[in-house]
Amino acid sequence: MLAVSTASTTSNIKLAGGEDTMMLATLRRLSRSAFFILFLLAPLLDLFRLDLSRGHFVFLTMDWTLGLDPQNSALDPAAITLHLLLRLGLPILLTLGVLLWVVWRWGRIYCGWLCPHFSMVEWIDGLMARWLGRRSVWEKPSAPRQAGARMVMSLVVLGGSALWAVTLLSYLVPPIPLWTGLLSLNLPTWHWFFIGIGTALFCIEFALARHFFCKYGCAVGIFQSLIWAVNRRAMVIGFKRERARDCRDCNACDRACPMRLPPRGMKRHKITCTQCGVCVQTCQQVQANNPEGALLHWVSGEDAVKMDKQPGSQIPVQDPVRIPVLEKD
C-alpha cells in the first residue's frame, strides 16, 4: 500500500512497487464504482435529496428541516438564532472544515477517487480510445477506427446523458414516481423539459467539453484546486529529475493523464491534478524492467516544495544527454 515516512522534516508518500500500484488502481476502481452506484441510488433510498414537493431536504430517510414553524413558533429572536446555528450553521461548518482539511493535504482527491462525473469522463475516454482510436475528438487518432464506432459512441453519450438528467431530477422530486412515470411515458410537462434540456446539455459536455469542464467549469473542482495550490507541502506527483534520461523518449504519462496535464511538470502547471495516480501506474508499467523503478511517485512535505522549485526540463549539469522539454504551457 502507501508507504508513509514519519520523519519530522519530510512526509514522503510513494509507491513501493508494481503490485502496490495495481492494488491502488483496484482500490480506486472500487471506490469510484461504489460512489457512482451511490450517486444513482441515493435518491431512491432516501439517503439524500431535496424534495421540492415538501420543501425540505431528506437525509438518511429522515426529514431534515430547521424545526421552525413561522406561524406557530413561540421562540424569541435570540432562541431562533441559536436554533439556526445548531441545526444549520454547525453542521455546515463541521462539514466544510473536514473538506478543507482533506483538500489542503491531498488536493482534488475527491475528483480522482469518488466524483461520478470524473468516472464518466474516464469511462468515455476508454471507450473512445477503443472504438475511435483516440480519447477525445480534439486529439489525433493513434489507432484505426473500428466499424460502427460513431454509432456506438453516439448511443453511449446519449444514454449516459439521459441517465444523468433523470438522476439529477430524482434529487429534486420523489424518485419512485419519477421512474415509474418515465417508464410509462406519463410525466408532467416540466419533467420532460428538464430531462430533454439536461440530456442535450450533457451530450454536448460529454462529447466535446468533458475535460474542459473538469478543469475550468466545475466549481467544486476549482475550489479544491485553489486550496491545494496554496499549500506548497501538500501531496503532489513528484518526478525523479536526476533520472530524466530514462524517459527522454517516453511521453506515456502525458498521454495517460485523464486531465491532459504534464505529470513531470511543476505543481503550478498541474493544479487541476485529481490525484488519480494513472500517470504513476503508467510509469510503473513502462519502467517495469528498470531496477531503479518508476520515475513518478507521490511526494509531500519538503519534497513537494523542492519539486516545485525545479524547472521541468532541468537535469544534472554533468549529464550530456539532451532531453525534450517536459513542461506544457
Side-chain angles (χ1 to χ4, degrees):
M1 292 294 291
L2 287 177
V4 183
S5 170
T6 56
S8 58
T9 57
T10 303
S11 174
N12 188 28
I13 304 175
K14 60 183 179 179
L15 293 171
E19 294 183 0
D20 296 310
T21 307
M22 296 306 298
M23 186 180 299
L24 283 177
T26 301
L27 179 62
R28 178 172 172 265
R29 189 178 301 112
L30 291 174
S31 68
R32 289 164 54 218
S33 300
F35 200 81
F36 192 86
I37 294 174
L38 178 64
F39 166 71
L40 297 178
L41 296 181
L44 288 168
L45 300 177
D46 274 346
L47 298 179
F48 179 78
R49 62 188 179 89
L50 171 60
D51 195 325
L52 296 179
S53 63
R54 288 189 279 179
H56 57 72
F57 285 96
V58 176
F59 181 66
L60 298 179
T61 72
M62 297 179 293
D63 293 339
W64 184 18
T65 67
L66 297 179
L68 295 175
D69 186 344
Q71 297 180 349
N72 301 321
S73 178
L75 298 177
D76 58 76
I80 292 177
T81 301
L82 179 60
H83 185 86
L84 290 175
L85 288 175
L86 294 177
R87 293 291 295 268
L88 182 63
L90 187 59
I92 291 177
L93 289 176
L94 289 177
T95 302
L96 189 59
V98 172
L99 293 177
L100 285 174
W101 178 75
V102 171
V103 173
W104 177 261
R105 294 196 60 181
W106 296 295
R108 294 179 64 165
I109 197 167
Y110 164 79
C111 297
W113 288 70
L114 296 177
C115 177
H117 180 272
F118 195 67
S119 295
M120 285 290 298
V121 169
E122 291 192 271
W123 181 56
I124 294 175
D125 279 0
L127 289 176
M128 289 191 69
R130 175 182 175 183
W131 286 92
L132 297 177
R134 51 183 175 178
R135 294 191 304 161
S136 168
V137 296
W138 308 113
E139 296 178 357
K140 295 181 179 180
S142 58
R145 186 177 64 202
Q146 295 190 32
R150 290 182 177 176
M151 177 62 70
V152 171
M153 290 311 306
S154 297
L155 292 175
V156 166
V157 171
L158 180 61
S161 299
L163 177 63
W164 265 74
V166 176
T167 300
L168 291 184
L169 183 58
S170 70
Y171 277 85
L172 303 176
V173 300
I176 295 180
L178 169 65
W179 282 103
T180 55
L182 181 65
L183 294 176
S184 63
L185 300 180
N186 184 22
L187 286 175
T189 303
W190 79 270
H191 287 191
W192 289 117
F193 271 109
F194 186 100
I195 294 173
I197 295 174
T199 299
L201 292 176
F202 277 121
C203 279
I204 297 173
E205 194 259 331
F206 286 149
L208 304 176
R210 58 188 183 277
H211 306 104
F212 182 85
F213 176 82
C214 286
K215 282 185 177 181
Y216 310 112
C218 177
V220 175
I222 293 174
F223 169 79
Q224 294 178 86
S225 294
L226 293 176
I227 298 299
W228 179 63
V230 175
N231 183 10
R232 299 179 62 198
R233 301 171 60 89
M235 186 176 74
V236 67
I237 297 295
F239 174 55
K240 297 179 180 179
R241 304 189 190 282
E242 68 277 6
R243 292 178 50 207
R245 63 169 63 192
D246 290 345
C247 68
R248 63 182 181 270
D249 297 322
C250 175
N251 292 309
C253 59
D254 290 358
R255 296 191 299 268
C257 177
M259 293 290 280
R260 307 304 191 271
L261 302 174
R264 295 167 289 181
M266 300 172 67
K267 181 177 179 179
R268 71 191 64 170
H269 293 112
K270 53 185 180 184
I271 63 170
T272 55
C273 172
T274 62
Q275 308 290 8
C276 66
V278 173
C279 59
V280 177
Q281 180 184 356
T282 301
C283 186
Q284 184 72 50
Q285 294 171 349
V286 172
Q287 300 292 333
N289 297 324
N290 190 330
E292 297 186 62
L295 289 82
L296 295 178
H297 57 292
W298 275 298
V299 297
S300 60
E302 290 299 324
D303 287 345
V305 175
K306 294 177 182 178
M307 170 69 195
D308 207 33
K309 287 182 178 180
Q310 301 178 22
S313 58
Q314 179 175 330
I315 57 175
V317 176
Q318 67 272 18
D319 192 343
V321 180
R322 297 180 61 85
I323 65 172
V325 175
L326 301 179
E327 289 291 351
K328 294 181 180 179
D329 292 329

